[in-house]
Amino acid sequence: MNPDRLLPAIALAGFTGHLLAQGEVLVPLDARPVPEALDSQRKSDGLNTHFIYQNAPQTVLPIIDDFSVNRTRRRWAQPGDAGVSLTETSYRLEVAGVSTPDMVFSDDTTFLYTTDTALDTTVRSALPSVSLTVRDVTAYPVTGQTVTAWPAYSVFDTVQSPSPDTLDLLSPEYIQDSLLVYTVAADAATYTNADGSVVPLVLWEDDDVYINGNYPIEPPSIGVATFDGLSRTGYPYNYPQYSSYGIADRLTSVPIDLAGYDPSDSLYLSFFFQPQGLSGDGNVQPQDSLVLEFYAPDEQFWYRVWSTPYRPLQPFEQVLVPIKLTKFLKSDFQFRFLNYATLSGSFDHWHLDYVRLGAQRTFDDTRLIDVAYMYPETSLLETYASVTFSKFAQAPQSYMAQSIQAQQRNLDSQDRFITYGMLAREENAGPLSAFTNGLNPSNNAGQIFSSNHPVAGAPNNFTYDPALSTDAAFWRVKLWTNATPDINRYNDTVTFVQEISNYMAYDDGSAEMGYGLNASGARLAYRFDLVGGDSLRAVRMYFNPQANPPPQQNPLNGSFLITVWSSLTPPTVLHQNFTFSTPEYRLDGIDRFVEYPLDSTIWVENTFYIGWTQTNAVPMNIGFDRNRNNRNKIFYSTSGSFANTSFEGSLMMRPVFVAGYDPFAGLEEHSPRAVTIYPNPAREAFTVECPSADGTAELRVFDAMGRSVLQEPYRAGGALSATALTPGIYIVRVEGGDGALIAQERLLIQR
């Protein structure tokens, strides 16, 4: 069987804020970096640009979006992209209707100085002023004002000299600048309704929300729109002010043509919502809320028509809101959702699902003639999400799950005859394997049920065929369900790619929270089991930026030693890195793993544990997947023996083995160390070299338990006595004058 998904009954009991157990910390995420945000900054070249996105209106009712596909407008266009054209250039400075690139002016009077050396006199006269239009080109639409300005130079003319000298001002107040305005053509992609009508794919003109299937608990169908305190870039709206509060995400529809309707047509907008979900933020603050607004085009005004305060975790609730007023029944009507939230992290979650707008509805029209999958799936393997190709090829059937359970939901109030099955194909164009796995013919009205998909068990007896691949395999798997009629076919399938290459994994590749230990010397161990042995060369981990309220320590200052055990009872260390590691928080995308190589490749076999030994008490916030429960594989120790974690989920930590092919190759490497210690091991003295340290830096040495045993000002190239240090392992830290970590390295004292 595949690992247990966190049980909804347990999840609905809720968590509150930052979760604390003995030595353990579980916290909401601080960021979900969007890769396009970083790329956009790299491409901008310092120019002022603005992009106007055109969107095709929605002209056909009913409108349905259950977020099983992403229908938001991705607003990351750049000059040179297809469909992007320069349509307007606004200049900052203009005189008499003319703008030139070299315009520069002063906001104070400049002068002509005329000197007659024969008479030893100097006469000053003001240079001619101009009426200057100055615009703000940092925002669109541009605004401007007219001011009096003067040339950005002074002229010094000596009567006896053949030509005057011009002296430019060093810092003129007005310098020419521009705003380039681009128009982005409407997205041509389409969406097919249940009746076969084809409409524009884009339904939402913005992309503030996070479309995902990992945060909600028992959603109506797979995929929701999540509102929180993170902006469209994936970073907090206001990180420096931890308690900042206000409007956060918006989800705004494109124009919808309601001009042909009147109040008697009984238009209703309905949707489902859920607070909190799996974010881990259970601080119920009364000012947090979810809001719905309607746009009156003639008035150009948004009216608030519904809202709800934040509340403890609860099942999804359906809401119906009528559209009765004629001021909304226009050709360019819009509606939007927004949330009020803490703006410094992944807080105050709302999950929105199954938005429907249609005519001839009633206040109790809650019926949905739809059968849908509820969650993403990630693996057809037993226990693991991925295993190594070399081991899999030795005994494929032993790694395959006998069956997997995929949750489905009949949203209809009547029983449906439901069939379901599976398709699988190796991505190198291997043969298609297709199975009808089961049916649910009755007693399913309004019910959630687990659909059993046989894999390696009878009658399918299916395994991934390693003969179709070399060194690594990628299988595309699709689970399908069918019930007729059905108003939404997009939620009838779940698709994923099964990777079998050079690593093992329990997690599904998505972090919902961050896990850490808050004790110096703490140990974290993750159990893996092999048939036989293999060569372990690295550990991959995903560390996500931490939402750390003051005065919690900065996770960037965390440090650890990669450690591998063959046993935890008693603890038996197979390997511990000599070089230290610090958590690297990737800014180029969510759930981006970083590879931490072992100092040397080691042989592991049967049961082994990967993890770390911390050298300080800073929780480092490794990604924690709350959708696959492998609690019984996670162990920690803050003092004494190891114990299982208190939290249900999976660490985003993966062992990496020697292999002929590495899909991870070519990705950004872990950053190199910035400090050198020699000799190392040391006996009587050692020297520390840290090029990035300045004259205010301090050097501190800590023993294996995190106790400070030596502290003095950093001196480049200066020898330090080790005679007071007993043999063993130490951490040498170079810190700035403000106490921030500059670099650190491991030191071994031997005698």
Side-chain angles (χ1 to χ4, degrees):
M1 296 289 290
N2 51 332
D4 292 335
R5 179 177 297 278
L6 295 186
L7 296 177
I10 296 174
L12 285 171
F15 290 121
T16 56
H18 293 61
L19 308 185
L20 302 175
Q22 184 64 42
E24 297 182 286
V25 181
L26 195 61
V27 297
L29 304 186
D30 178 61
R32 290 187 304 269
V34 175
E36 293 90 344
L38 195 61
D39 294 340
S40 177
Q41 293 172 4
R42 290 169 176 165
K43 293 178 182 178
S44 64
D45 298 325
L47 298 175
N48 298 313
T49 58
H50 180 77
F51 294 85
I52 299 174
Y53 290 82
Q54 296 179 334
N55 294 304
Q58 296 285 332
T59 60
V60 177
L61 295 186
I63 290 172
I64 297 177
D65 190 10
D66 75 328
F67 304 101
S68 54
V69 296
N70 191 343
R71 301 184 66 186
T72 63
R73 185 66 194 266
R74 303 293 291 165
R75 294 178 293 128
W76 297 107
Q78 292 294 317
D81 290 350
V84 177
S85 56
L86 179 64
T87 53
E88 181 183 347
T89 301
S90 295
Y91 291 99
R92 184 189 182 210
L93 305 181
E94 179 183 297
V95 176
V98 176
S99 295
T100 60
D102 58 350
M103 280 185 168
V104 181
F105 293 93
S106 170
D107 69 348
D108 199 2
T109 309
T110 52
F111 298 92
L112 166 65
Y113 297 88
T114 303
T115 301
D116 188 330
T117 56
L119 300 176
D120 193 22
T121 60
T122 298
V123 178
R124 186 184 77 168
S125 57
L127 293 174
S129 64
V130 297
S131 181
L132 178 68
T133 300
V134 182
R135 301 185 180 93
D136 178 6
V137 293
T138 62
Y140 185 87
V142 297
T143 57
Q145 60 179 334
T146 300
V147 300
T148 300
W150 289 263
Y153 55 81
S154 293
V155 179
F156 296 85
D157 184 15
T158 302
V159 174
Q160 288 77 15
S161 177
S163 60
D165 295 321
T166 301
L167 183 63
D168 293 329
L169 299 182
L170 293 178
S171 301
E173 289 73 23
Y174 301 121
I175 301 175
Q176 185 65 288
D177 198 357
S178 63
L179 173 67
L180 306 179
V181 181
Y182 294 87
T183 298
V184 186
D187 192 325
T190 59
Y191 183 89
T192 303
N193 289 321
D195 62 1
S197 60
V198 177
V199 298
L201 172 68
V202 172
L203 176 59
W204 311 103
E205 67 179 25
D206 41 30
D207 58 353
D208 294 352
V209 299
Y210 178 47
I211 307 299
N212 73 97
N214 300 306
Y215 276 113
I217 297 172
E218 294 187 348
S221 69
I222 185 170
V224 297
T226 294
F227 295 71
D228 59 13
L230 299 177
S231 70
R232 60 185 297 268
T233 65
Y235 295 98
Y237 284 97
N238 188 340
Y239 183 76
Q241 297 180 8
Y242 185 79
S243 60
S244 59
Y245 167 81
I247 295 176
D249 294 335
R250 290 179 171 87
L251 184 64
T252 309
S253 76
V254 300
I256 300 170
D257 187 1
L258 299 184
Y261 296 91
D262 60 49
S264 65
D265 289 314
S266 191
L267 273 68
Y268 276 83
L269 175 70
S270 64
F271 55 91
F272 290 81
F273 73 94
Q274 180 184 65
Q276 297 186 30
L278 293 179
S279 69
D281 176 27
N283 292 323
V284 179
Q285 299 165 303
Q287 68 268 33
D288 299 331
S289 59
L290 180 66
V291 173
L292 171 64
E293 296 181 334
F294 288 169
Y295 181 63
D298 293 345
E299 302 172 32
Q300 298 184 14
F301 188 81
W302 287 94
Y303 284 88
R304 187 156 299 185
V305 295
W306 175 90
S307 66
T308 184
Y310 207 47
R311 61 186 73 177
L313 183 61
Q314 66 174 38
F316 275 85
E317 176 183 340
Q318 186 171 190
V319 173
L320 288 94
V321 180
I323 306 177
K324 296 180 178 180
L325 301 180
T326 56
K327 62 184 175 185
F328 299 133
L329 301 176
K330 305 293 181 178
S331 61
D332 45 1
F333 167 75
Q334 291 177 273
F335 64 93
R336 71 182 179 191
F337 297 90
L338 57 89
N339 69 309
Y340 286 84
T342 301
L343 302 177
S344 56
S346 184
F347 306 131
D348 306 328
H349 280 210
W350 295 97
H351 309 295
L352 182 72
D353 201 4
Y354 234 119
V355 176
R356 293 190 296 154
L357 172 59
Q360 310 308 322
R361 300 184 65 186
T362 61
F363 70 94
D364 58 353
D365 178 18
T366 59
R367 185 184 179 191
L368 283 163
I369 305 174
D370 193 11
V371 174
Y373 281 104
M374 295 171 60
Y375 296 107
E377 299 293 334
T378 55
S379 178
L380 296 186
L381 301 182
E382 182 74 24
T383 305
Y384 295 101
S386 186
V387 295
T388 63
F389 184 85
S390 61
K391 287 297 181 183
F392 181 85
Q394 293 173 10
Q397 197 153 12
S398 68
Y399 286 96
M400 301 295 294
Q402 291 298 298
S403 64
I404 66 168
Q405 304 294 321
Q407 286 186 285
Q408 296 188 49
R409 188 169 201 156
N410 179 8
L411 291 155
D412 197 352
S413 57
Q414 299 179 12
D415 284 350
R416 309 298 302 282
F417 188 88
I418 304 164
T419 58
Y420 51 87
M422 180 181 76
L423 305 173
R425 171 178 279 163
E426 208 279 335
E427 288 207 322
N428 289 329
L432 178 67
S433 298
F435 307 99
T436 298
N437 289 336
L439 59 88
N440 186 327
S442 61
N443 298 319
N444 54 41
Q447 298 298 306
I448 295 171
F449 63 94
S450 291
S451 54
N452 180 61
H453 294 260
V455 183
N460 294 347
N461 301 314
F462 172 73
T463 61
Y464 298 128
D465 184 358
L468 298 174
S469 313
T470 303
D471 294 326
F474 299 87
W475 283 78
R476 183 168 292 276
V477 179
K478 178 186 288 187
L479 305 182
W480 57 266
T481 191
N482 182 67
T484 303
D486 190 291
I487 65 171
N488 187 356
R489 293 297 184 186
Y490 290 94
N491 57 31
D492 292 350
T493 57
V494 175
T495 302
F496 63 91
V497 174
Q498 177 84 63
E499 178 182 348
I500 303 174
S501 58
N502 66 340
Y503 67 90
M504 300 176 73
Y506 294 115
D507 65 273
D508 67 2
S510 174
E512 286 72 53
M513 297 187 73
Y515 175 89
L517 301 176
N518 57 10
S520 181
R523 296 170 293 175
L524 178 64
Y526 208 12
R527 175 175 173 162
F528 289 84
D529 294 283
L530 286 174
V531 177
D534 207 343
S535 297
L536 180 69
R537 66 168 184 82
V539 176
R540 288 183 194 146
M541 291 182 278
Y542 170 66
F543 290 99
N544 53 265
Q546 182 170 332
N548 47 306
Q552 250 187 14
Q553 300 182 70
N554 189 335
L556 291 173
N557 291 335
S559 66
F560 58 93
L561 303 172
I562 293 288
T563 308
V564 182
W565 297 265
S566 60
S567 169
L568 300 184
T569 52
T572 304
V573 174
L574 275 177
H575 172 87
Q576 188 172 73
N577 266 10
F578 181 78
T579 54
F580 86 98
S581 297
T582 56
E584 181 176 337
Y585 299 94
R586 296 283 294 269
L587 304 179
D588 55 346
I590 186 176
D591 302 321
R592 299 293 180 92
F593 282 78
V594 173
E595 189 165 290
Y596 294 83
L598 303 187
D599 286 344
S600 59
T601 299
I602 65 170
W603 182 258
V604 294
E605 55 188 6
N606 303 321
T607 296
F608 67 98
Y609 304 80
I610 61 171
W612 68 56
T613 301
Q614 291 187 202
T615 58
N616 60 25
V618 178
M620 289 172 289
N621 209 40
I622 189 170
F624 198 74
D625 167 21
R626 294 193 60 200
N627 283 288
R628 287 175 63 90
N629 183 19
N630 287 283
R631 175 177 177 267
N632 62 344
K633 309 294 194 309
I634 304 171
F635 300 85
Y636 76 102
S637 168
T638 54
S639 63
S641 60
F642 281 90
N644 268 127
T645 178
S646 304
F647 306 122
E648 293 188 346
S650 299
L651 296 174
M652 294 180 69
M653 179 187 293
R654 302 171 172 179
V656 184
F657 298 86
V658 174
Y661 173 72
D662 182 7
F664 202 74
L667 298 180
E668 184 178 339
E669 295 290 335
H670 181 53
S671 56
R673 300 188 303 275
V675 63
T676 302
I677 302 175
Y678 59 89
N680 195 359
R683 290 172 58 86
E684 305 300 326
F686 61 94
T687 299
V688 178
E689 293 283 1
C690 183
S692 56
D694 59 24
T696 67
E698 290 277 331
L699 188 144
R700 303 184 69 186
V701 179
F702 297 84
D703 65 14
M705 296 303 295
R707 295 172 296 198
S708 178
V709 295
L710 178 64
Q711 179 175 355
E712 62 178 69
Y714 168 75
R715 292 176 291 117
L720 297 165
S721 174
T723 57
L725 303 180
T726 59
I729 297 172
Y730 296 85
I731 295 296
V732 178
R733 290 170 57 97
V734 181
E735 299 177 350
D738 58 356
L741 175 67
I742 297 174
Q744 66 181 12
E745 183 56 279
R746 185 178 178 187
L747 168 68
L748 179 62
I749 301 297
Q750 286 184 342
R751 293 191 181 93

